[in-house]
Amino acid sequence: MYPRNSRTTAATTAEAGAWAEVLVRHQLLHAAVLLPTGQWLVQATPSAPIRVLDGPAAMVELAARIQHRTRTRKARSR
C-alpha cells in the first residue's frame, strides 16, 4: 500500500479547480470559490460556515478526505 501523501509534485490551481467542480457537482460540497489570492472559500452545506483553504494543496487534501470518508461509508454499509 502506498503512503497517503505520496505526491511528487505540488497541486496546481487547475487540479484544485477540477476537484472543486467535481465535489460541488456531486453535492459533496455546497460551494467552492477560488479567490484571486489563490485561497479557496468552501461551504459544505448552505447553512454551514464558510471555510478558507490556503491554496490548491488544501483543496486537493479536502477532496482526498471527502473521498476517503465516502469510500469508508460505502464499505461499512455492505
Side-chain angles (χ1 to χ4, degrees):
M1 193 154 125
Y2 296 101
R4 184 169 181 206
N5 293 326
S6 61
R7 291 186 67 109
T8 57
T9 60
T12 65
T13 301
E15 179 185 10
W19 276 112
E21 183 179 329
V22 167
L23 293 173
V24 171
R25 185 177 339 123
H26 289 277
Q27 299 177 345
L28 297 169
L29 280 180
H30 173 68
V33 178
L34 175 62
L35 300 176
T37 61
Q39 295 175 308
W40 287 86
L41 297 180
V42 296
Q43 189 175 28
T45 65
S47 60
I50 295 172
R51 295 175 45 201
V52 179
L53 302 181
D54 195 26
M59 175 55 81
V60 172
E61 176 61 29
L62 175 62
R65 286 195 311 265
I66 290 171
Q67 186 177 35
H68 176 74
R69 185 181 68 220
T70 302
R71 287 181 176 180
T72 302
R73 285 182 185 164
K74 285 181 181 178
R76 287 182 189 161
S77 67
R78 290 183 186 175

